[in-house]
Amino acid sequence: MSRAVKMAAPVSLLVGRVLRRTSAAGELRLSTRCWAPPSCRSFSDEVAEKNTHFGFETVPEAEKAKKVYKVFENVAQKYDLMNDAMSLGIHRLWKDALLHAMHPQPGACLLDVAGGTGDIAFRFLEYVASQKERQARRTAHSMRTPSWQDISDKYSGNEEEEGEKRRLRESRAVVCDINKEMLKVGKEKARHTGVSAGVSWVVGDGEELPFDDQQFDIYTIAFGIRNVTHVELFCWTAHSMDVVNKSILALQEALRVLKPGGRFMCLEFSKVTNPVLARLYDAYSFQVIPVLGEVIAGDWKSYQYLVESIRKFPAQEEFKEMMEDAGFSCVHYHNLTGGVVSLHSGFKL
């Protein structure tokens, strides 16, 4: 993507947001609401320090990526086990819900970002395989008595051509993760489960994906986007119309690599809607999960960060607006387990 296109994207987003914030009388009202982390100050301070959050801690942006990398490097070997322990196995149902909502068809190409252990990719390939089997049964049922055209195609070589076309339409999943240790775990799982065809493993940053434009039908990111340094789009201040351009943004990168008509799907911890459940969830998160991290993975601090990072992630409506600002259409979300997790979806039109 050219430098001019990259620069034009934030400008167009700015114009859209300004128009939405213009009153019916035509008077521009600058919102004091901060679209970056809560520590939003003046434009000059933000540019000078470029701070972001690492859990509840404020750190320079340059340090966050290193800290997040270290967290997942530490927990990689126990990551799947801890997911089962922390969620009581419910994370499997959340991921299944993602695949059923996605409903991928044979020939679809998936990019799973921050998916190092391969959970989404494996489910995707299994789902597509079941769809192919279902289609094959329907075809076999309808072709019990072959037509003269079928017989002619078989003897004229057209059957070989169709076979080649089917091969080219094979579904594939690309797992992209910035952490090599997580990818190692995913590759080992693939070897143990016998998954060899249809999946590839790429080291890459979600903020600057190593893929050309319009390569994928579906982009997924499950429990990973809150760890991206630059998720938020802009930080407005009451004193200036200047906009902080947040480098190459994960949402804009997702839009770039999707084909027209492609779908973005994000599974992420969110804001619990029920007050009673919210109190129970907070108590469990802060008092139990770090203890589980210490007992199972020998790492209290990493799981303390994971709990804190969930609380810093935007609420459902805020993230929906961010997706729309990034350029996605037909954006919606669905709460799972009372809002503990939300499934966000949007299309590139």
mmCIF file of all heavy atoms in Angstrom, residues 59-98:
data_model
loop_
_atom_site.group_PDB
_atom_site.id
_atom_site.type_symbol
_atom_site.label_atom_id
_atom_site.label_comp_id
_atom_site.label_asym_id
_atom_site.label_seq_id
_atom_site.Cartn_x
_atom_site.Cartn_y
_atom_site.Cartn_z
ATOM 1 N N VAL A 59 2.845 3.021 30.081
ATOM 2 C CA VAL A 59 4.202 2.789 29.593
ATOM 3 C C VAL A 59 4.374 3.476 28.248
ATOM 4 O O VAL A 59 3.402 3.749 27.545
ATOM 5 C CB VAL A 59 4.484 1.275 29.433
ATOM 6 C CG1 VAL A 59 4.372 0.556 30.764
ATOM 7 C CG2 VAL A 59 3.553 0.651 28.404
ATOM 8 N N PRO A 60 5.616 3.789 27.852
ATOM 9 C CA PRO A 60 5.856 4.299 26.499
ATOM 10 C C PRO A 60 5.416 3.276 25.460
ATOM 11 O O PRO A 60 5.541 2.066 25.670
ATOM 12 C CB PRO A 60 7.378 4.505 26.467
ATOM 13 C CG PRO A 60 7.772 4.643 27.894
ATOM 14 C CD PRO A 60 6.838 3.760 28.664
ATOM 15 N N GLU A 61 4.884 3.774 24.339
ATOM 16 C CA GLU A 61 4.402 2.874 23.295
ATOM 17 C C GLU A 61 5.485 1.895 22.847
ATOM 18 O O GLU A 61 5.203 0.729 22.560
ATOM 19 C CB GLU A 61 3.916 3.681 22.089
ATOM 20 C CG GLU A 61 2.578 4.360 22.319
ATOM 21 C CD GLU A 61 2.100 5.091 21.091
ATOM 22 O OE1 GLU A 61 2.874 5.161 20.102
ATOM 23 O OE2 GLU A 61 0.960 5.585 21.092
ATOM 24 N N ALA A 62 6.700 2.370 22.769
ATOM 25 C CA ALA A 62 7.784 1.523 22.286
ATOM 26 C C ALA A 62 8.015 0.311 23.185
ATOM 27 O O ALA A 62 8.517 -0.722 22.743
ATOM 28 C CB ALA A 62 9.072 2.334 22.168
ATOM 29 N N GLU A 63 7.622 0.437 24.460
ATOM 30 C CA GLU A 63 7.851 -0.655 25.406
ATOM 31 C C GLU A 63 6.713 -1.662 25.444
ATOM 32 O O GLU A 63 6.916 -2.812 25.838
ATOM 33 C CB GLU A 63 8.063 -0.088 26.814
ATOM 34 C CG GLU A 63 9.380 0.648 27.001
ATOM 35 C CD GLU A 63 9.586 1.063 28.446
ATOM 36 O OE1 GLU A 63 8.847 0.539 29.319
ATOM 37 O OE2 GLU A 63 10.459 1.912 28.695
ATOM 38 N N LYS A 64 5.506 -1.247 25.055
ATOM 39 C CA LYS A 64 4.363 -2.137 25.214
ATOM 40 C C LYS A 64 4.527 -3.415 24.401
ATOM 41 O O LYS A 64 4.274 -4.512 24.910
ATOM 42 C CB LYS A 64 3.060 -1.445 24.823
ATOM 43 C CG LYS A 64 1.872 -2.411 24.950
ATOM 44 C CD LYS A 64 0.529 -1.762 24.774
ATOM 45 C CE LYS A 64 -0.579 -2.804 24.905
ATOM 46 N NZ LYS A 64 -1.919 -2.230 24.834
ATOM 47 N N ALA A 65 4.940 -3.288 23.149
ATOM 48 C CA ALA A 65 5.074 -4.475 22.301
ATOM 49 C C ALA A 65 6.046 -5.479 22.920
ATOM 50 O O ALA A 65 5.797 -6.688 22.898
ATOM 51 C CB ALA A 65 5.535 -4.078 20.904
ATOM 52 N N LYS A 66 7.143 -4.972 23.480
ATOM 53 C CA LYS A 66 8.128 -5.861 24.097
ATOM 54 C C LYS A 66 7.543 -6.548 25.327
ATOM 55 O O LYS A 66 7.765 -7.736 25.559
ATOM 56 C CB LYS A 66 9.378 -5.069 24.490
ATOM 57 C CG LYS A 66 10.122 -4.462 23.312
ATOM 58 C CD LYS A 66 11.311 -3.633 23.792
ATOM 59 C CE LYS A 66 12.019 -2.965 22.606
ATOM 60 N NZ LYS A 66 13.143 -2.111 23.057
ATOM 61 N N LYS A 67 6.793 -5.780 26.122
ATOM 62 C CA LYS A 67 6.206 -6.342 27.334
ATOM 63 C C LYS A 67 5.160 -7.400 27.002
ATOM 64 O O LYS A 67 5.100 -8.464 27.630
ATOM 65 C CB LYS A 67 5.590 -5.222 28.183
ATOM 66 C CG LYS A 67 6.607 -4.339 28.900
ATOM 67 C CD LYS A 67 5.902 -3.237 29.679
ATOM 68 C CE LYS A 67 6.884 -2.435 30.521
ATOM 69 N NZ LYS A 67 7.367 -3.219 31.685
ATOM 70 N N VAL A 68 4.309 -7.109 26.010
ATOM 71 C CA VAL A 68 3.291 -8.080 25.603
ATOM 72 C C VAL A 68 3.950 -9.335 25.045
ATOM 73 O O VAL A 68 3.529 -10.464 25.334
ATOM 74 C CB VAL A 68 2.329 -7.458 24.561
ATOM 75 C CG1 VAL A 68 1.410 -8.524 23.971
ATOM 76 C CG2 VAL A 68 1.503 -6.353 25.206
ATOM 77 N N TYR A 69 4.990 -9.144 24.260
ATOM 78 C CA TYR A 69 5.718 -10.298 23.703
ATOM 79 C C TYR A 69 6.229 -11.191 24.826
ATOM 80 O O TYR A 69 6.110 -12.418 24.768
ATOM 81 C CB TYR A 69 6.885 -9.811 22.837
ATOM 82 C CG TYR A 69 7.559 -10.922 22.062
ATOM 83 C CD1 TYR A 69 7.218 -11.157 20.730
ATOM 84 C CD2 TYR A 69 8.525 -11.736 22.652
ATOM 85 C CE1 TYR A 69 7.823 -12.171 20.013
ATOM 86 C CE2 TYR A 69 9.122 -12.761 21.943
ATOM 87 C CZ TYR A 69 8.784 -12.972 20.618
ATOM 88 O OH TYR A 69 9.380 -13.992 19.917
ATOM 89 N N LYS A 70 6.790 -10.562 25.860
ATOM 90 C CA LYS A 70 7.347 -11.326 26.979
ATOM 91 C C LYS A 70 6.259 -12.085 27.723
ATOM 92 O O LYS A 70 6.462 -13.239 28.145
ATOM 93 C CB LYS A 70 8.069 -10.373 27.936
ATOM 94 C CG LYS A 70 8.858 -11.084 29.034
ATOM 95 C CD LYS A 70 9.981 -11.920 28.447
ATOM 96 C CE LYS A 70 10.820 -12.565 29.527
ATOM 97 N NZ LYS A 70 11.861 -13.453 28.968
ATOM 98 N N VAL A 71 5.074 -11.445 27.868
ATOM 99 C CA VAL A 71 3.966 -12.116 28.546
ATOM 100 C C VAL A 71 3.618 -13.420 27.845
ATOM 101 O O VAL A 71 3.530 -14.491 28.467
ATOM 102 C CB VAL A 71 2.724 -11.191 28.609
ATOM 103 C CG1 VAL A 71 1.474 -11.993 28.987
ATOM 104 C CG2 VAL A 71 2.936 -10.073 29.612
ATOM 105 N N PHE A 72 3.426 -13.354 26.530
ATOM 106 C CA PHE A 72 2.989 -14.541 25.808
ATOM 107 C C PHE A 72 4.128 -15.535 25.582
ATOM 108 O O PHE A 72 3.878 -16.733 25.421
ATOM 109 C CB PHE A 72 2.326 -14.136 24.489
ATOM 110 C CG PHE A 72 0.959 -13.556 24.701
ATOM 111 C CD1 PHE A 72 0.775 -12.196 24.822
ATOM 112 C CD2 PHE A 72 -0.148 -14.390 24.824
ATOM 113 C CE1 PHE A 72 -0.479 -11.665 25.050
ATOM 114 C CE2 PHE A 72 -1.405 -13.867 25.051
ATOM 115 C CZ PHE A 72 -1.575 -12.501 25.163
ATOM 116 N N GLU A 73 5.338 -15.049 25.595
ATOM 117 C CA GLU A 73 6.474 -15.965 25.566
ATOM 118 C C GLU A 73 6.496 -16.794 26.854
ATOM 119 O O GLU A 73 6.755 -18.005 26.826
ATOM 120 C CB GLU A 73 7.771 -15.172 25.415
ATOM 121 C CG GLU A 73 9.010 -16.030 25.244
ATOM 122 C CD GLU A 73 10.246 -15.174 25.048
ATOM 123 O OE1 GLU A 73 10.524 -14.320 25.911
ATOM 124 O OE2 GLU A 73 10.932 -15.354 24.015
ATOM 125 N N ASN A 74 6.178 -16.144 27.968
ATOM 126 C CA ASN A 74 6.188 -16.831 29.261
ATOM 127 C C ASN A 74 5.065 -17.859 29.388
ATOM 128 O O ASN A 74 5.243 -18.914 30.008
ATOM 129 C CB ASN A 74 6.068 -15.816 30.397
ATOM 130 C CG ASN A 74 7.308 -14.953 30.539
ATOM 131 O OD1 ASN A 74 8.376 -15.293 30.031
ATOM 132 N ND2 ASN A 74 7.165 -13.819 31.211
ATOM 133 N N VAL A 75 3.891 -17.537 28.816
ATOM 134 C CA VAL A 75 2.717 -18.392 29.048
ATOM 135 C C VAL A 75 2.445 -19.365 27.910
ATOM 136 O O VAL A 75 1.503 -20.161 27.999
ATOM 137 C CB VAL A 75 1.454 -17.530 29.285
ATOM 138 C CG1 VAL A 75 1.689 -16.543 30.416
ATOM 139 C CG2 VAL A 75 1.030 -16.796 28.014
ATOM 140 N N ALA A 76 3.241 -19.326 26.852
ATOM 141 C CA ALA A 76 2.930 -20.097 25.638
ATOM 142 C C ALA A 76 2.697 -21.578 25.923
ATOM 143 O O ALA A 76 1.713 -22.171 25.457
ATOM 144 C CB ALA A 76 4.050 -19.919 24.609
ATOM 145 N N GLN A 77 3.589 -22.205 26.682
ATOM 146 C CA GLN A 77 3.499 -23.652 26.903
ATOM 147 C C GLN A 77 2.262 -24.046 27.711
ATOM 148 O O GLN A 77 1.754 -25.168 27.576
ATOM 149 C CB GLN A 77 4.767 -24.154 27.611
ATOM 150 C CG GLN A 77 6.031 -24.039 26.775
ATOM 151 C CD GLN A 77 5.939 -24.848 25.488
ATOM 152 O OE1 GLN A 77 5.386 -25.947 25.457
ATOM 153 N NE2 GLN A 77 6.493 -24.301 24.411
ATOM 154 N N LYS A 78 1.773 -23.154 28.555
ATOM 155 C CA LYS A 78 0.611 -23.454 29.391
ATOM 156 C C LYS A 78 -0.632 -22.691 28.933
ATOM 157 O O LYS A 78 -1.649 -22.688 29.630
ATOM 158 C CB LYS A 78 0.911 -23.091 30.855
ATOM 159 C CG LYS A 78 2.086 -23.835 31.474
ATOM 160 C CD LYS A 78 1.757 -25.296 31.713
ATOM 161 C CE LYS A 78 2.889 -26.005 32.438
ATOM 162 N NZ LYS A 78 2.565 -27.426 32.717
ATOM 163 N N TYR A 79 -0.562 -22.074 27.768
ATOM 164 C CA TYR A 79 -1.623 -21.180 27.320
ATOM 165 C C TYR A 79 -2.969 -21.894 27.205
ATOM 166 O O TYR A 79 -3.983 -21.440 27.745
ATOM 167 C CB TYR A 79 -1.234 -20.556 25.977
ATOM 168 C CG TYR A 79 -2.208 -19.529 25.464
ATOM 169 C CD1 TYR A 79 -2.224 -18.241 25.984
ATOM 170 C CD2 TYR A 79 -3.113 -19.843 24.454
ATOM 171 C CE1 TYR A 79 -3.122 -17.293 25.512
ATOM 172 C CE2 TYR A 79 -4.013 -18.903 23.986
ATOM 173 C CZ TYR A 79 -4.009 -17.631 24.505
ATOM 174 O OH TYR A 79 -4.902 -16.699 24.040
ATOM 175 N N ASP A 80 -3.014 -23.013 26.505
ATOM 176 C CA ASP A 80 -4.273 -23.730 26.316
ATOM 177 C C ASP A 80 -4.808 -24.278 27.634
ATOM 178 O O ASP A 80 -6.020 -24.222 27.901
ATOM 179 C CB ASP A 80 -4.084 -24.868 25.306
ATOM 180 C CG ASP A 80 -3.890 -24.355 23.887
ATOM 181 O OD1 ASP A 80 -4.403 -23.263 23.582
ATOM 182 O OD2 ASP A 80 -3.220 -25.037 23.095
ATOM 183 N N LEU A 81 -3.918 -24.809 28.471
ATOM 184 C CA LEU A 81 -4.336 -25.330 29.764
ATOM 185 C C LEU A 81 -4.922 -24.223 30.635
ATOM 186 O O LEU A 81 -5.957 -24.408 31.300
ATOM 187 C CB LEU A 81 -3.148 -25.987 30.471
ATOM 188 C CG LEU A 81 -3.407 -26.535 31.879
ATOM 189 C CD1 LEU A 81 -4.488 -27.605 31.849
ATOM 190 C CD2 LEU A 81 -2.107 -27.097 32.469
ATOM 191 N N MET A 82 -4.281 -23.052 30.613
ATOM 192 C CA MET A 82 -4.778 -21.932 31.404
ATOM 193 C C MET A 82 -6.119 -21.420 30.865
ATOM 194 O O MET A 82 -6.979 -20.992 31.645
ATOM 195 C CB MET A 82 -3.754 -20.801 31.423
ATOM 196 C CG MET A 82 -2.671 -20.960 32.469
ATOM 197 S SD MET A 82 -3.318 -20.979 34.164
ATOM 198 C CE MET A 82 -4.051 -19.347 34.284
ATOM 199 N N ASN A 83 -6.312 -21.456 29.554
ATOM 200 C CA ASN A 83 -7.599 -21.053 28.987
ATOM 201 C C ASN A 83 -8.720 -21.931 29.524
ATOM 202 O O ASN A 83 -9.808 -21.447 29.866
ATOM 203 C CB ASN A 83 -7.561 -21.126 27.464
ATOM 204 C CG ASN A 83 -6.874 -19.925 26.847
ATOM 205 O OD1 ASN A 83 -6.650 -18.917 27.509
ATOM 206 N ND2 ASN A 83 -6.524 -20.034 25.581
ATOM 207 N N ASP A 84 -8.459 -23.231 29.586
ATOM 208 C CA ASP A 84 -9.455 -24.151 30.137
ATOM 209 C C ASP A 84 -9.703 -23.863 31.611
ATOM 210 O O ASP A 84 -10.849 -23.852 32.078
ATOM 211 C CB ASP A 84 -8.997 -25.598 29.956
ATOM 212 C CG ASP A 84 -9.211 -26.120 28.547
ATOM 213 O OD1 ASP A 84 -10.155 -25.652 27.879
ATOM 214 O OD2 ASP A 84 -8.430 -26.979 28.097
ATOM 215 N N ALA A 85 -8.621 -23.641 32.362
ATOM 216 C CA ALA A 85 -8.757 -23.411 33.807
ATOM 217 C C ALA A 85 -9.465 -22.093 34.094
ATOM 218 O O ALA A 85 -10.368 -22.033 34.947
ATOM 219 C CB ALA A 85 -7.377 -23.432 34.460
ATOM 220 N N MET A 86 -9.070 -21.020 33.410
ATOM 221 C CA MET A 86 -9.633 -19.695 33.689
ATOM 222 C C MET A 86 -11.106 -19.601 33.326
ATOM 223 O O MET A 86 -11.890 -18.970 34.029
ATOM 224 C CB MET A 86 -8.847 -18.621 32.938
ATOM 225 C CG MET A 86 -7.455 -18.370 33.465
ATOM 226 S SD MET A 86 -6.671 -16.939 32.664
ATOM 227 C CE MET A 86 -6.661 -17.434 30.939
ATOM 228 N N SER A 87 -11.486 -20.215 32.193
ATOM 229 C CA SER A 87 -12.861 -20.083 31.704
ATOM 230 C C SER A 87 -13.722 -21.287 32.036
ATOM 231 O O SER A 87 -14.883 -21.346 31.627
ATOM 232 C CB SER A 87 -12.853 -19.893 30.183
ATOM 233 O OG SER A 87 -12.444 -21.090 29.529
ATOM 234 N N LEU A 88 -13.144 -22.254 32.761
ATOM 235 C CA LEU A 88 -13.852 -23.504 33.062
ATOM 236 C C LEU A 88 -14.268 -24.221 31.779
ATOM 237 O O LEU A 88 -15.309 -24.889 31.721
ATOM 238 C CB LEU A 88 -15.078 -23.233 33.950
ATOM 239 C CG LEU A 88 -14.797 -22.472 35.254
ATOM 240 C CD1 LEU A 88 -16.101 -22.218 36.003
ATOM 241 C CD2 LEU A 88 -13.805 -23.229 36.126
ATOM 242 N N GLY A 89 -13.456 -24.037 30.742
ATOM 243 C CA GLY A 89 -13.705 -24.687 29.461
ATOM 244 C C GLY A 89 -14.657 -23.946 28.546
ATOM 245 O O GLY A 89 -14.859 -24.354 27.398
ATOM 246 N N ILE A 90 -15.233 -22.824 29.025
ATOM 247 C CA ILE A 90 -16.250 -22.120 28.231
ATOM 248 C C ILE A 90 -15.640 -21.462 26.994
ATOM 249 O O ILE A 90 -16.336 -21.208 26.011
ATOM 250 C CB ILE A 90 -16.987 -21.082 29.107
ATOM 251 C CG1 ILE A 90 -17.680 -21.794 30.270
ATOM 252 C CG2 ILE A 90 -18.016 -20.303 28.302
ATOM 253 C CD1 ILE A 90 -18.350 -20.851 31.248
ATOM 254 N N HIS A 91 -14.319 -21.203 27.008
ATOM 255 C CA HIS A 91 -13.689 -20.579 25.838
ATOM 256 C C HIS A 91 -13.883 -21.433 24.588
ATOM 257 O O HIS A 91 -13.914 -20.913 23.470
ATOM 258 C CB HIS A 91 -12.200 -20.336 26.092
ATOM 259 C CG HIS A 91 -11.345 -21.559 25.995
ATOM 260 N ND1 HIS A 91 -10.587 -21.861 24.875
ATOM 261 C CD2 HIS A 91 -11.117 -22.564 26.875
ATOM 262 C CE1 HIS A 91 -9.942 -22.984 25.077
ATOM 263 N NE2 HIS A 91 -10.234 -23.432 26.284
ATOM 264 N N ARG A 92 -14.028 -22.738 24.760
ATOM 265 C CA ARG A 92 -14.272 -23.623 23.614
ATOM 266 C C ARG A 92 -15.642 -23.332 22.986
ATOM 267 O O ARG A 92 -15.787 -23.344 21.755
ATOM 268 C CB ARG A 92 -14.186 -25.084 24.056
ATOM 269 C CG ARG A 92 -12.813 -25.478 24.594
ATOM 270 C CD ARG A 92 -12.825 -26.882 25.164
ATOM 271 N NE ARG A 92 -11.527 -27.238 25.727
ATOM 272 C CZ ARG A 92 -10.553 -27.830 25.044
ATOM 273 N NH1 ARG A 92 -10.745 -28.135 23.770
ATOM 274 N NH2 ARG A 92 -9.398 -28.109 25.632
ATOM 275 N N LEU A 93 -16.631 -23.071 23.828
ATOM 276 C CA LEU A 93 -17.963 -22.736 23.316
ATOM 277 C C LEU A 93 -17.956 -21.372 22.622
ATOM 278 O O LEU A 93 -18.628 -21.187 21.605
ATOM 279 C CB LEU A 93 -18.978 -22.733 24.463
ATOM 280 C CG LEU A 93 -19.143 -24.052 25.228
ATOM 281 C CD1 LEU A 93 -20.165 -23.884 26.346
ATOM 282 C CD2 LEU A 93 -19.548 -25.180 24.289
ATOM 283 N N TRP A 94 -17.200 -20.416 23.168
ATOM 284 C CA TRP A 94 -17.098 -19.108 22.525
ATOM 285 C C TRP A 94 -16.483 -19.229 21.128
ATOM 286 O O TRP A 94 -16.955 -18.604 20.174
ATOM 287 C CB TRP A 94 -16.251 -18.168 23.383
ATOM 288 C CG TRP A 94 -16.839 -17.836 24.721
ATOM 289 C CD1 TRP A 94 -18.174 -17.797 25.056
ATOM 290 C CD2 TRP A 94 -16.123 -17.480 25.907
ATOM 291 N NE1 TRP A 94 -18.320 -17.448 26.373
ATOM 292 C CE2 TRP A 94 -17.089 -17.246 26.930
ATOM 293 C CE3 TRP A 94 -14.779 -17.328 26.225
ATOM 294 C CZ2 TRP A 94 -16.738 -16.872 28.223
ATOM 295 C CZ3 TRP A 94 -14.422 -16.959 27.514
ATOM 296 C CH2 TRP A 94 -15.387 -16.731 28.502
ATOM 297 N N LYS A 95 -15.453 -20.032 21.020
ATOM 298 C CA LYS A 95 -14.798 -20.201 19.722
ATOM 299 C C LYS A 95 -15.680 -20.965 18.742
ATOM 300 O O LYS A 95 -15.689 -20.670 17.537
ATOM 301 C CB LYS A 95 -13.445 -20.892 19.909
ATOM 302 C CG LYS A 95 -12.436 -20.020 20.647
ATOM 303 C CD LYS A 95 -11.199 -20.771 21.077
ATOM 304 C CE LYS A 95 -10.244 -19.870 21.859
ATOM 305 N NZ LYS A 95 -9.082 -20.622 22.406
ATOM 306 N N ASP A 96 -16.430 -21.931 19.257
ATOM 307 C CA ASP A 96 -17.392 -22.629 18.399
ATOM 308 C C ASP A 96 -18.461 -21.664 17.898
ATOM 309 O O ASP A 96 -18.883 -21.734 16.729
ATOM 310 C CB ASP A 96 -18.054 -23.781 19.162
ATOM 311 C CG ASP A 96 -17.111 -24.949 19.402
ATOM 312 O OD1 ASP A 96 -16.068 -25.034 18.711
ATOM 313 O OD2 ASP A 96 -17.403 -25.778 20.296
ATOM 314 N N ALA A 97 -18.896 -20.748 18.769
ATOM 315 C CA ALA A 97 -19.890 -19.750 18.375
ATOM 316 C C ALA A 97 -19.344 -18.860 17.260
ATOM 317 O O ALA A 97 -20.078 -18.477 16.336
ATOM 318 C CB ALA A 97 -20.305 -18.901 19.579
ATOM 319 N N LEU A 98 -18.061 -18.518 17.348
ATOM 320 C CA LEU A 98 -17.423 -17.732 16.300
ATOM 321 C C LEU A 98 -17.502 -18.449 14.953
ATOM 322 O O LEU A 98 -17.858 -17.857 13.929
ATOM 323 C CB LEU A 98 -15.966 -17.458 16.668
ATOM 324 C CG LEU A 98 -15.055 -16.905 15.571
ATOM 325 C CD1 LEU A 98 -15.526 -15.527 15.125
ATOM 326 C CD2 LEU A 98 -13.609 -16.837 16.043
#
